[in-house]
Amino acid sequence: MNHLSTEQIHAGYEPEAPYWPVAVPIHQTAAYRFPDHDTAVSMFRLETPGFTYSRTGNPTVAVFENRLAALEGGIGAIGTATGQAAVALSLLTLLHGGKHLIASSQLYGGTVDLLTDTFADFGIETTFADPADPAAWAAAIRPDTRAFFLESITNPLATLPDLPALTNIAHGAGVPVVVDSTLATPALYRPLEHGADVVVHSATKFLGGHGAVLGGAIVDGGTFDFGAAPERWPQLARPKARYGGRSLVERHGRGAYLALARSKFLHDLGPSLAPASAAQFIQGLETLAVRVSRHGTSAREVAEHLAGHPAVVRVHHPAIPGHPSAGLAARDFPQGAGSVFSFDLAAGAGAVGPFIDALELFQLVANVGDVRSLVSHPATMTHCRLTPGQRRAAGIAETTIRLSIGLECPEDLIADLDRALATVPASALTGRTH
């Protein structure tokens, strides 16, 4: 493939007659006219590729899917209405029927809600393991384990897992690995190159870049052989009436996983990506590498400043010496470890509200990956439904503050933080050391 900065502009689209539009057109349509009845029959039988209804596919959405697949090095992708839908569909494709999942103990709070509440209602059991402890993942494997799930950069502590070590353990047990790479994006890290089988994104974040539209995506590497153990993967390797009495592995080979995710879960549950939203994500992808580079440079400058501030007891960013993921960052993230990170105030929980309310440039928002710099308090916002034990396992304290560094001048962001940190009671800083 070409370099990422070239693929993010050109992959997945060629202008066509009669107008040859340079920008990807928005195909704002629910349905498509078939040239004849035989073609319609063949397409509905999934024998002939094409668009039948925009719930399962749309030309504009397809460009976004193809471009992101190229950037991640996958064989294909599926766009979804939200990042949460991408996570849900990617895992339901593997786990439906009440199978077992091993997931990172450091996940976005909404994902934990999905796994511990909704998935539990479906009979899917989840065991959580420390992403920095591969041995814990190996110990958690059961005969009915069907997936590992983790984030490439954790939210909110920016911990980096040893993905090659985890994928070796998973594959040794015949288990595929799904990685949420929302905070990394392919500009910083491509999980498929490190052993992962499936990548998911909340496109709402850095892929779009402006916090304007919701969307998600599933990218399949096509690397996991579901046909090698058909008794473990009946949904993919056994004949189904829905697919003309053939198996998806037989019909689609390496694309069987995506075929099931699209034809069953996207089709039946309907969390489809809107064409207009896809168009905005396509535009976002065109500037991804430039934006992510600027985000990261500014984030490092802000993190280093906070690490020396007397009102901050700890900064959770791999660029800071002493961070537990510093070694992995140097090995696997040569372009940096992103711009979403956290820090702990050197004070009690009562200092959180006054600090956040004193900020002017940082906006109190339950989102990340925006051109604007954002702040949130995980314990009472994005991770509020975690139990105290789950928050401790995730490393989230009552005084943990999450930042998403935008594209503003870093000097202005530092000044804003310093002004707000001045609200921390002086008594809390007594004996503070760095």
Side-chain angles (χ1 to χ4, degrees), residues 31-98:
Y32 307 87
R33 180 179 175 181
F34 302 99
D36 52 63
H37 179 251
D38 287 345
T39 300
V41 170
S42 180
M43 290 175 68
F44 272 91
R45 285 178 176 170
L46 305 179
E47 296 170 344
T48 300
F51 303 106
T52 58
Y53 195 69
S54 280
R55 186 168 76 248
T56 53
N58 171 279
T60 308
V61 175
V63 173
F64 167 64
E65 294 170 340
N66 293 336
R67 185 162 297 176
L68 183 59
L71 296 180
E72 286 287 7
I75 63 169
I78 295 174
T80 60
T82 65
Q84 186 83 330
V87 173
L89 267 61
S90 70
L91 294 176
L92 283 174
T93 302
L94 301 170
L95 299 168
H96 71 94

Side-chain angles (χ1 to χ4, degrees), residues 377-421:
H377 182 229
T380 58
M381 295 174 65
T382 54
H383 294 69
C384 67
R385 283 179 290 278
L386 272 65
T387 66
Q390 288 173 323
R391 282 201 295 274
R392 283 194 299 272
I396 299 171
E398 293 294 327
T399 55
T400 299
I401 305 294
R402 185 185 73 182
L403 300 179
S404 175
I405 304 301
L407 299 182
E408 304 95 339
C409 174
E411 288 82 1
D412 292 337
L413 298 177
I414 288 171
D416 193 35
L417 289 165
D418 282 349
R419 183 170 51 250
L421 287 168

Side-chain angles (χ1 to χ4, degrees), residues 13 33 62 81 97 107 147 183 237 254 272 278 299 344 351 365 369 378 382 404 406 410 415:
Y13 176 67
R33 180 179 175 181
L107 293 174
L183 299 191
R254 292 199 306 152
S272 310
D344 297 331
V365 171
T382 54
S404 175

Side-chain angles (χ1 to χ4, degrees), residues 348-387:
V352 169
F355 164 76
I356 288 178
D357 291 344
L359 292 166
E360 296 177 4
L361 283 178
F362 283 86
Q363 299 185 37
L364 183 59
V365 171
N367 193 28
V368 295
D370 202 319
V371 294
R372 304 157 191 82
S373 289
L374 312 175
V375 63
S376 71
H377 182 229
T380 58
M381 295 174 65
T382 54
H383 294 69
C384 67
R385 283 179 290 278
L386 272 65
T387 66

Side-chain angles (χ1 to χ4, degrees), residues 3 6 39 77 97 123 147 152 163 188 207 219 250 282 302 350 352 365 432:
H3 291 88
T6 299
T39 300
S152 59
L163 185 56
L188 297 180
L207 300 188
V219 182
E250 179 186 0
I282 291 166
V302 172
V352 169
V365 171
R432 168 76 172 92

